[in-house]
Amino acid sequence: MAPAGAPFIRYLVIDMDAALEMDWGIPVAEAPPGDERVSPGLLPAGQYATTVYTGPYGGGGLVDANAALQAWARERGVAFQVREGEHGEVWGARLERYLSNPAEEPDPMTWRTEVAYLVAAEPAAAG
């Protein structure tokens, strides 16, 4: 089965002091049958706020890109689909899509990662 887009990580639950719950995925044109190791799923439809980070995966650059996207949203009253859950923040969709293939682009300084958050249907309260 051929990929139909860039591989991604979807953060489902985030508690930076304890644990993360994540999905790792590769988009495909049609959902394959699942088994005990792999299950198909869908990313939620809707409007996403995105930014693209260029640089290595480690070293804090992606953390900074996420922080910048969150700050941008706060400044503009954009709310994300997120709620507090029993084990941390539960996200509607918070993604990192790996746009560069390190096998084809060996220089980590050129790697591009899209950071995308699903926007809530209702705008955030001004504050």
Side-chain angles (χ1 to χ4, degrees), residues 107-126:
D107 180 3
M109 298 308 288
T110 66
W111 294 349
R112 297 176 60 240
T113 305
E114 179 186 58
V115 177
Y117 292 19
L118 183 59
V119 173
E122 297 295 321

Side-chain angles (χ1 to χ4, degrees), residues 8 12-13 31 38 47 50 56 83 102 108 114 122:
F8 63 89
L12 302 168
V13 180
V38 176
Q47 184 177 21
T50 65
R83 64 177 173 78
E114 179 186 58
E122 297 295 321

Side-chain angles (χ1 to χ4, degrees), residues 82-99:
V82 60
R83 64 177 173 78
E84 284 299 321
E86 183 178 342
H87 300 289
E89 295 176 330
V90 179
W91 289 83
R94 179 173 166 173
L95 309 168
E96 291 176 359
R97 289 182 1 141
Y98 301 97
L99 305 176

